[in-house]
Amino acid sequence: MTERELEQRLTARYRPNVDEAAPAELRTSVAGIPEAVGAPGLTIRGLQPTQRPLAFAAAILLLAAALAGGIAVGSGLLRLPWQSSTPIDPASIAPCELVSGGSAREIAVSDDGVPAIGAPNVVDYEEWINREGELEVFSAVGGRTCFFLLSPDPNNSRGMDSVLHLRGQATTGAEASDLAANIFDVGQAPFDQGPIIEQVGANRAWVGLLGERPSVSQPVGGQRMGEFFTPGMAVAVSAEPYFLVLTFDMDASILELSDAARGRWWERYWDTSLWPGIRTPLEDILTRLTQMESAKGQ
Amino acid sequence: MTPAGLAEVERPLARAEAFRRLADNHLNASYRLARAILGDPAEAQDATHDAFVTAWRKWATLRDPALFEHWFDRILVHTCRNRLRRTQRWRGRDLAPELLLAPDAFGRVHDRDALDPAIARLSPDHQVVVVLRFHRDLTLNEIAARLGVRPGTVKSRLHYALKRLHSELDESDARGQLT
């Protein structure tokens, strides 16, 4: 079979699909989304009662993110570049220059294989350069599940649901830079809910939901195995020129991780529990989020 | 975008109506795309609905209604790809490979030739690229924009996807000739 024949076969494979119309019930259900879901961004009160426990789980993860952020930054486990006793030489931040100059987005790596940008000083972490040439730092601090993404480039989008969430809001690098600067200046992090601004030592951190996944069903052997909710959330810590983000992801599918990082996540954390021991403080976070939404509505 | 168009998106009272109109206009094409990626009609229906829920929640990030199709395609493709990933994980843990190739309880016909099973064995990223290329007939740049990756990445994924399909189909053809 030639390349041409394969392409023709693929084109023919999808041809019967081109006139297929969406089912009427789908059209009806989509039209009802604004009423069913509520106003964009206001999610907790707009949820169905059966979904609230799932939102509760989402908020638990939010708390976990806050705790990890506070612990990591406050205890020194995570030492931000500007906390260093040695001032950072701006000239050493090569990736920013590479990106702004329009060159390939690749992390500069020195002869000994160490990325030229400073990775966060985190106990027990591993690094990957993913397929996009971006640095990923995967950590298991204190057994917690977290990824540390170090992005010196505010236009370093990691997909639609990325932590920085800039690509959908900015069409040029300059716009993205302005947006990132705005985030640093006024705390307008791109969160769907929140943010709660926390003071962690001398640092500002924003905690908020990045977005809630819609409920999905799992088909296994022709049977649906129930619904669940997949939240994405993060703690963002400003540390210009870096924008350090700790993210928590229930199924590791939100972030565009490398296969290796995704595999590690899967192997290590799929069957572990995040929840025990943090339910009580979670209620505080949830209350504050609710109060925030109530204040907005008044 | 016209000032009137911008105002329409931004006015709270007009949001729902604007969403409904855009969703209605794009529903068929969106469902077809989900169907092409996921195969199963029920899965495609769920994914399309879920993607529209996400779109409504992220409505504030749509800057220009004229860009709705592009903006929503990205949401839909991510939704479908995540479903593929989850499905593959479950399958990898719970089902024997030979069961995956059998017709399912709903009577779908996967094995009318070797192409469908071969596509199903591609990684989710590769499947999505193949569908966008051969179902939507998009260019590499257009696919890259919908996936949020570089055109070179799309080119690479498409290359390896076609290479694998080629290999599997050749093997299948060879087996067919033997039997």
PDB file of all heavy atoms in Angstrom, chain B residues 46-68:
ATOM      1  N   ASP B  46     -21.887  12.610  24.710  1.00  0.00           N
ATOM      2  CA  ASP B  46     -21.456  13.053  26.044  1.00  0.00           C
ATOM      3  C   ASP B  46     -20.316  14.068  25.945  1.00  0.00           C
ATOM      4  O   ASP B  46     -20.308  15.088  26.634  1.00  0.00           O
ATOM      5  CB  ASP B  46     -20.975  11.851  26.867  1.00  0.00           C
ATOM      6  CG  ASP B  46     -22.139  11.010  27.375  1.00  0.00           C
ATOM      7  OD1 ASP B  46     -23.295  11.412  27.155  1.00  0.00           O
ATOM      8  OD2 ASP B  46     -21.884   9.945  27.961  1.00  0.00           O
ATOM      9  N   ALA B  47     -19.364  13.764  25.094  1.00  0.00           N
ATOM     10  CA  ALA B  47     -18.204  14.647  24.976  1.00  0.00           C
ATOM     11  C   ALA B  47     -18.613  16.010  24.440  1.00  0.00           C
ATOM     12  O   ALA B  47     -18.125  17.043  24.908  1.00  0.00           O
ATOM     13  CB  ALA B  47     -17.154  14.016  24.062  1.00  0.00           C
ATOM     14  N   THR B  48     -19.491  16.013  23.461  1.00  0.00           N
ATOM     15  CA  THR B  48     -19.933  17.293  22.903  1.00  0.00           C
ATOM     16  C   THR B  48     -20.654  18.108  23.964  1.00  0.00           C
ATOM     17  O   THR B  48     -20.405  19.313  24.120  1.00  0.00           O
ATOM     18  CB  THR B  48     -20.865  17.049  21.695  1.00  0.00           C
ATOM     19  OG1 THR B  48     -20.204  16.186  20.772  1.00  0.00           O
ATOM     20  CG2 THR B  48     -21.215  18.347  21.014  1.00  0.00           C
ATOM     21  N   HIS B  49     -21.519  17.446  24.690  1.00  0.00           N
ATOM     22  CA  HIS B  49     -22.238  18.154  25.750  1.00  0.00           C
ATOM     23  C   HIS B  49     -21.260  18.694  26.792  1.00  0.00           C
ATOM     24  O   HIS B  49     -21.355  19.855  27.206  1.00  0.00           O
ATOM     25  CB  HIS B  49     -23.248  17.212  26.410  1.00  0.00           C
ATOM     26  CG  HIS B  49     -24.024  17.863  27.515  1.00  0.00           C
ATOM     27  ND1 HIS B  49     -23.604  17.864  28.822  1.00  0.00           N
ATOM     28  CD2 HIS B  49     -25.183  18.562  27.492  1.00  0.00           C
ATOM     29  CE1 HIS B  49     -24.472  18.533  29.555  1.00  0.00           C
ATOM     30  NE2 HIS B  49     -25.437  18.964  28.782  1.00  0.00           N
ATOM     31  N   ASP B  50     -20.336  17.848  27.222  1.00  0.00           N
ATOM     32  CA  ASP B  50     -19.367  18.279  28.225  1.00  0.00           C
ATOM     33  C   ASP B  50     -18.526  19.454  27.735  1.00  0.00           C
ATOM     34  O   ASP B  50     -18.210  20.370  28.496  1.00  0.00           O
ATOM     35  CB  ASP B  50     -18.442  17.112  28.601  1.00  0.00           C
ATOM     36  CG  ASP B  50     -19.176  16.045  29.403  1.00  0.00           C
ATOM     37  OD1 ASP B  50     -20.335  16.286  29.795  1.00  0.00           O
ATOM     38  OD2 ASP B  50     -18.607  14.977  29.623  1.00  0.00           O
ATOM     39  N   ALA B  51     -18.171  19.404  26.462  1.00  0.00           N
ATOM     40  CA  ALA B  51     -17.368  20.499  25.912  1.00  0.00           C
ATOM     41  C   ALA B  51     -18.163  21.799  25.907  1.00  0.00           C
ATOM     42  O   ALA B  51     -17.609  22.877  26.184  1.00  0.00           O
ATOM     43  CB  ALA B  51     -16.915  20.145  24.498  1.00  0.00           C
ATOM     44  N   PHE B  52     -19.444  21.718  25.618  1.00  0.00           N
ATOM     45  CA  PHE B  52     -20.256  22.941  25.650  1.00  0.00           C
ATOM     46  C   PHE B  52     -20.422  23.450  27.081  1.00  0.00           C
ATOM     47  O   PHE B  52     -20.497  24.650  27.312  1.00  0.00           O
ATOM     48  CB  PHE B  52     -21.614  22.716  24.981  1.00  0.00           C
ATOM     49  CG  PHE B  52     -21.568  22.907  23.489  1.00  0.00           C
ATOM     50  CD1 PHE B  52     -21.722  21.832  22.633  1.00  0.00           C
ATOM     51  CD2 PHE B  52     -21.350  24.167  22.933  1.00  0.00           C
ATOM     52  CE1 PHE B  52     -21.672  21.997  21.253  1.00  0.00           C
ATOM     53  CE2 PHE B  52     -21.293  24.343  21.557  1.00  0.00           C
ATOM     54  CZ  PHE B  52     -21.450  23.267  20.707  1.00  0.00           C
ATOM     55  N   VAL B  53     -20.487  22.543  28.032  1.00  0.00           N
ATOM     56  CA  VAL B  53     -20.530  22.983  29.431  1.00  0.00           C
ATOM     57  C   VAL B  53     -19.246  23.744  29.773  1.00  0.00           C
ATOM     58  O   VAL B  53     -19.271  24.817  30.376  1.00  0.00           O
ATOM     59  CB  VAL B  53     -20.705  21.778  30.389  1.00  0.00           C
ATOM     60  CG1 VAL B  53     -20.506  22.201  31.842  1.00  0.00           C
ATOM     61  CG2 VAL B  53     -22.083  21.161  30.211  1.00  0.00           C
ATOM     62  N   THR B  54     -18.134  23.169  29.369  1.00  0.00           N
ATOM     63  CA  THR B  54     -16.855  23.854  29.604  1.00  0.00           C
ATOM     64  C   THR B  54     -16.837  25.205  28.908  1.00  0.00           C
ATOM     65  O   THR B  54     -16.378  26.212  29.470  1.00  0.00           O
ATOM     66  CB  THR B  54     -15.694  22.985  29.080  1.00  0.00           C
ATOM     67  OG1 THR B  54     -15.736  21.719  29.734  1.00  0.00           O
ATOM     68  CG2 THR B  54     -14.358  23.648  29.353  1.00  0.00           C
ATOM     69  N   ALA B  55     -17.330  25.227  27.679  1.00  0.00           N
ATOM     70  CA  ALA B  55     -17.337  26.489  26.925  1.00  0.00           C
ATOM     71  C   ALA B  55     -18.167  27.542  27.652  1.00  0.00           C
ATOM     72  O   ALA B  55     -17.771  28.705  27.748  1.00  0.00           O
ATOM     73  CB  ALA B  55     -17.892  26.243  25.528  1.00  0.00           C
ATOM     74  N   TRP B  56     -19.275  27.144  28.182  1.00  0.00           N
ATOM     75  CA  TRP B  56     -20.117  28.106  28.906  1.00  0.00           C
ATOM     76  C   TRP B  56     -19.395  28.610  30.154  1.00  0.00           C
ATOM     77  O   TRP B  56     -19.433  29.791  30.467  1.00  0.00           O
ATOM     78  CB  TRP B  56     -21.449  27.448  29.278  1.00  0.00           C
ATOM     79  CG  TRP B  56     -22.315  28.288  30.152  1.00  0.00           C
ATOM     80  CD1 TRP B  56     -22.713  28.031  31.418  1.00  0.00           C
ATOM     81  CD2 TRP B  56     -22.893  29.558  29.811  1.00  0.00           C
ATOM     82  NE1 TRP B  56     -23.489  29.047  31.904  1.00  0.00           N
ATOM     83  CE2 TRP B  56     -23.626  30.002  30.944  1.00  0.00           C
ATOM     84  CE3 TRP B  56     -22.850  30.366  28.681  1.00  0.00           C
ATOM     85  CZ2 TRP B  56     -24.311  31.209  30.964  1.00  0.00           C
ATOM     86  CZ3 TRP B  56     -23.545  31.575  28.701  1.00  0.00           C
ATOM     87  CH2 TRP B  56     -24.264  31.989  29.828  1.00  0.00           C
ATOM     88  N   ARG B  57     -18.730  27.709  30.835  1.00  0.00           N
ATOM     89  CA  ARG B  57     -18.009  28.130  32.042  1.00  0.00           C
ATOM     90  C   ARG B  57     -16.840  29.045  31.709  1.00  0.00           C
ATOM     91  O   ARG B  57     -16.432  29.872  32.513  1.00  0.00           O
ATOM     92  CB  ARG B  57     -17.507  26.904  32.803  1.00  0.00           C
ATOM     93  CG  ARG B  57     -18.638  26.155  33.479  1.00  0.00           C
ATOM     94  CD  ARG B  57     -18.103  25.054  34.367  1.00  0.00           C
ATOM     95  NE  ARG B  57     -19.174  24.516  35.197  1.00  0.00           N
ATOM     96  CZ  ARG B  57     -19.383  23.233  35.406  1.00  0.00           C
ATOM     97  NH1 ARG B  57     -18.587  22.349  34.858  1.00  0.00           N
ATOM     98  NH2 ARG B  57     -20.370  22.832  36.183  1.00  0.00           N
ATOM     99  N   LYS B  58     -16.281  28.854  30.539  1.00  0.00           N
ATOM    100  CA  LYS B  58     -15.131  29.672  30.146  1.00  0.00           C
ATOM    101  C   LYS B  58     -15.556  30.792  29.208  1.00  0.00           C
ATOM    102  O   LYS B  58     -14.728  31.324  28.489  1.00  0.00           O
ATOM    103  CB  LYS B  58     -14.079  28.792  29.459  1.00  0.00           C
ATOM    104  CG  LYS B  58     -13.427  27.782  30.365  1.00  0.00           C
ATOM    105  CD  LYS B  58     -12.406  26.958  29.600  1.00  0.00           C
ATOM    106  CE  LYS B  58     -11.686  25.994  30.522  1.00  0.00           C
ATOM    107  NZ  LYS B  58     -10.844  26.662  31.502  1.00  0.00           N
ATOM    108  N   TRP B  59     -16.805  31.120  29.211  1.00  0.00           N
ATOM    109  CA  TRP B  59     -17.338  32.051  28.226  1.00  0.00           C
ATOM    110  C   TRP B  59     -16.578  33.372  28.233  1.00  0.00           C
ATOM    111  O   TRP B  59     -16.391  34.015  27.200  1.00  0.00           O
ATOM    112  CB  TRP B  59     -18.822  32.283  28.509  1.00  0.00           C
ATOM    113  CG  TRP B  59     -19.544  32.972  27.406  1.00  0.00           C
ATOM    114  CD1 TRP B  59     -20.111  34.210  27.433  1.00  0.00           C
ATOM    115  CD2 TRP B  59     -19.805  32.448  26.086  1.00  0.00           C
ATOM    116  NE1 TRP B  59     -20.701  34.484  26.227  1.00  0.00           N
ATOM    117  CE2 TRP B  59     -20.531  33.426  25.390  1.00  0.00           C
ATOM    118  CE3 TRP B  59     -19.480  31.254  25.440  1.00  0.00           C
ATOM    119  CZ2 TRP B  59     -20.934  33.251  24.058  1.00  0.00           C
ATOM    120  CZ3 TRP B  59     -19.879  31.087  24.127  1.00  0.00           C
ATOM    121  CH2 TRP B  59     -20.605  32.066  23.455  1.00  0.00           C
ATOM    122  N   ALA B  60     -16.142  33.767  29.398  1.00  0.00           N
ATOM    123  CA  ALA B  60     -15.450  35.059  29.506  1.00  0.00           C
ATOM    124  C   ALA B  60     -14.145  35.080  28.717  1.00  0.00           C
ATOM    125  O   ALA B  60     -13.620  36.148  28.406  1.00  0.00           O
ATOM    126  CB  ALA B  60     -15.171  35.380  30.965  1.00  0.00           C
ATOM    127  N   THR B  61     -13.612  33.921  28.395  1.00  0.00           N
ATOM    128  CA  THR B  61     -12.338  33.900  27.670  1.00  0.00           C
ATOM    129  C   THR B  61     -12.540  33.982  26.158  1.00  0.00           C
ATOM    130  O   THR B  61     -11.566  34.045  25.423  1.00  0.00           O
ATOM    131  CB  THR B  61     -11.539  32.618  27.985  1.00  0.00           C
ATOM    132  OG1 THR B  61     -12.234  31.485  27.457  1.00  0.00           O
ATOM    133  CG2 THR B  61     -11.344  32.454  29.480  1.00  0.00           C
ATOM    134  N   LEU B  62     -13.786  33.970  25.717  1.00  0.00           N
ATOM    135  CA  LEU B  62     -14.050  34.133  24.280  1.00  0.00           C
ATOM    136  C   LEU B  62     -14.090  35.615  23.980  1.00  0.00           C
ATOM    137  O   LEU B  62     -15.017  36.318  24.369  1.00  0.00           O
ATOM    138  CB  LEU B  62     -15.382  33.480  23.890  1.00  0.00           C
ATOM    139  CG  LEU B  62     -15.827  33.690  22.438  1.00  0.00           C
ATOM    140  CD1 LEU B  62     -14.831  33.091  21.461  1.00  0.00           C
ATOM    141  CD2 LEU B  62     -17.216  33.117  22.209  1.00  0.00           C
ATOM    142  N   ARG B  63     -13.078  36.054  23.293  1.00  0.00           N
ATOM    143  CA  ARG B  63     -12.984  37.490  23.059  1.00  0.00           C
ATOM    144  C   ARG B  63     -13.808  37.939  21.869  1.00  0.00           C
ATOM    145  O   ARG B  63     -14.204  39.080  21.776  1.00  0.00           O
ATOM    146  CB  ARG B  63     -11.524  37.873  22.816  1.00  0.00           C
ATOM    147  CG  ARG B  63     -10.691  37.807  24.071  1.00  0.00           C
ATOM    148  CD  ARG B  63      -9.294  38.272  23.770  1.00  0.00           C
ATOM    149  NE  ARG B  63      -8.643  38.769  24.970  1.00  0.00           N
ATOM    150  CZ  ARG B  63      -7.508  39.421  24.965  1.00  0.00           C
ATOM    151  NH1 ARG B  63      -6.900  39.682  23.843  1.00  0.00           N
ATOM    152  NH2 ARG B  63      -6.963  39.842  26.076  1.00  0.00           N
ATOM    153  N   ASP B  64     -13.991  37.070  20.903  1.00  0.00           N
ATOM    154  CA  ASP B  64     -14.640  37.477  19.677  1.00  0.00           C
ATOM    155  C   ASP B  64     -15.537  36.339  19.199  1.00  0.00           C
ATOM    156  O   ASP B  64     -15.048  35.237  18.942  1.00  0.00           O
ATOM    157  CB  ASP B  64     -13.560  37.780  18.620  1.00  0.00           C
ATOM    158  CG  ASP B  64     -14.157  38.319  17.335  1.00  0.00           C
ATOM    159  OD1 ASP B  64     -15.392  38.223  17.168  1.00  0.00           O
ATOM    160  OD2 ASP B  64     -13.385  38.822  16.501  1.00  0.00           O
ATOM    161  N   PRO B  65     -16.830  36.587  19.081  1.00  0.00           N
ATOM    162  CA  PRO B  65     -17.732  35.516  18.622  1.00  0.00           C
ATOM    163  C   PRO B  65     -17.311  34.942  17.267  1.00  0.00           C
ATOM    164  O   PRO B  65     -17.593  33.779  16.973  1.00  0.00           O
ATOM    165  CB  PRO B  65     -19.083  36.216  18.523  1.00  0.00           C
ATOM    166  CG  PRO B  65     -18.986  37.390  19.417  1.00  0.00           C
ATOM    167  CD  PRO B  65     -17.559  37.820  19.400  1.00  0.00           C
ATOM    168  N   ALA B  66     -16.634  35.739  16.470  1.00  0.00           N
ATOM    169  CA  ALA B  66     -16.215  35.247  15.157  1.00  0.00           C
ATOM    170  C   ALA B  66     -15.194  34.124  15.291  1.00  0.00           C
ATOM    171  O   ALA B  66     -14.979  33.344  14.361  1.00  0.00           O
ATOM    172  CB  ALA B  66     -15.636  36.390  14.331  1.00  0.00           C
ATOM    173  N   LEU B  67     -14.565  34.061  16.444  1.00  0.00           N
ATOM    174  CA  LEU B  67     -13.547  33.024  16.673  1.00  0.00           C
ATOM    175  C   LEU B  67     -14.120  31.826  17.425  1.00  0.00           C
ATOM    176  O   LEU B  67     -13.376  30.968  17.899  1.00  0.00           O
ATOM    177  CB  LEU B  67     -12.375  33.613  17.471  1.00  0.00           C
ATOM    178  CG  LEU B  67     -11.640  34.780  16.805  1.00  0.00           C
ATOM    179  CD1 LEU B  67     -10.569  35.324  17.740  1.00  0.00           C
ATOM    180  CD2 LEU B  67     -11.020  34.344  15.481  1.00  0.00           C
ATOM    181  N   PHE B  68     -15.430  31.790  17.534  1.00  0.00           N
ATOM    182  CA  PHE B  68     -16.035  30.734  18.354  1.00  0.00           C
ATOM    183  C   PHE B  68     -15.632  29.340  17.887  1.00  0.00           C
ATOM    184  O   PHE B  68     -15.277  28.483  18.700  1.00  0.00           O
ATOM    185  CB  PHE B  68     -17.564  30.860  18.337  1.00  0.00           C
ATOM    186  CG  PHE B  68     -18.247  29.777  19.117  1.00  0.00           C
ATOM    187  CD1 PHE B  68     -18.406  29.874  20.486  1.00  0.00           C
ATOM    188  CD2 PHE B  68     -18.704  28.617  18.483  1.00  0.00           C
ATOM    189  CE1 PHE B  68     -19.014  28.866  21.216  1.00  0.00           C
ATOM    190  CE2 PHE B  68     -19.318  27.604  19.202  1.00  0.00           C
ATOM    191  CZ  PHE B  68     -19.472  27.740  20.577  1.00  0.00           C
TER     192      PHE B  68
END
